[in-house]
Amino acid sequence: MKELKKKRLKQLALWTMAWLLTVMLTKYGATHMWEGNTLISLVAILLNLGAGLGMILINRKLVNESDELEKKIQLEAMGITLGLTLIVGLTISLLDYTHLIDFHTEISTLITFMGLTYLASMIFNNVKYR
Amino acid sequence: MKNRLKVLRAERNLTQEELADIIGVSRQTINAIEKEKFDPSLPTAFKMAKLFQLNIEEIFHPED
């Protein structure tokens, strides 16, 4: 069980790295390497999509192979992340819409917020059930 | 839910790690059950009952 979990975590790390690299490649490449070539950009985006799907499938396997407490911890962390992202995202959007704030949020802000919320929830829940 | 898991495990000189391996869960899960922070699923409770040769209600009982 422990060996399988280690294997899955390694696979997840590799797929996540591949996904991040293809994000970087697509963004950097489109402006500095193959400027204006739509076909190469499309191929890079498809590669990124493929790596993203691989990452999701491995993560799904990892969760399905986890035991009942690990699943509960994951579920709570994902629930908190989803809920907070929705609520905070809409609050910021409303603040922007009503001109109460004068900065525009990017998708990267949302992704960073989701990542940090998920990480904090996982740490909190692991400490809670330790 | 209250349980006697820690006592039963100690009687059989099993570590949390060993019990976790036999039952097929993580050590963290065994620890959380013993500390009564987490209630096990029915299949896990049955595995424990079979291992200790007891009925489920002799290991787990609801809080009064």
Side-chain angles (χ1 to χ4, degrees), chain A residues 30-45:
Chain A
T31 49
H32 295 93
M33 288 162 74
W34 60 80
E35 216 173 314
N37 191 324
T38 327
L39 182 68
I40 302 178
S41 285
L42 188 66
V43 170
I45 290 168

Side-chain angles (χ1 to χ4, degrees), chain A residues 3-60:
Chain A
E3 278 68 33
L4 185 65
K5 193 176 177 181
K6 271 185 197 169
K7 186 184 157 191
R8 291 283 180 250
L9 284 170
K10 257 186 207 170
Q11 287 175 329
L12 182 61
L14 286 172
W15 278 104
T16 307
M17 206 176 287
W19 179 71
L20 283 171
L21 284 173
T22 52
V23 169
M24 282 163 61
L25 177 76
T26 309
K27 283 205 88 174
Y28 181 81
T31 49
H32 295 93
M33 288 162 74
W34 60 80
E35 216 173 314
N37 191 324
T38 327
L39 182 68
I40 302 178
S41 285
L42 188 66
V43 170
I45 290 168
L46 286 174
L47 271 176
N48 174 249
L49 190 65
L53 287 174
M55 184 175 72
I56 291 169
L57 289 174
I58 286 294
N59 198 32
R60 184 172 172 264

Side-chain angles (χ1 to χ4, degrees), chain A residues 76-126:
Chain A
E76 284 181 12
M78 286 191 275
I80 289 167
T81 305
L82 180 66
L84 277 178
T85 304
L86 190 70
I87 302 302
V88 174
L90 267 176
T91 303
I92 291 172
S93 170
L94 286 172
L95 285 169
D96 185 25
Y97 182 74
T98 52
H99 306 293
L100 290 169
I101 53 169
D102 57 357
F103 64 90
H104 291 285
T105 46
E106 301 285 331
I107 188 75
S108 57
T109 314
L110 190 71
I111 293 169
T112 307
F113 177 79
M114 284 180 85
L116 291 175
T117 308
Y118 178 73
L119 183 68
S121 306
M122 284 296 286
I123 292 170
F124 176 81
N125 278 340
N126 271 294

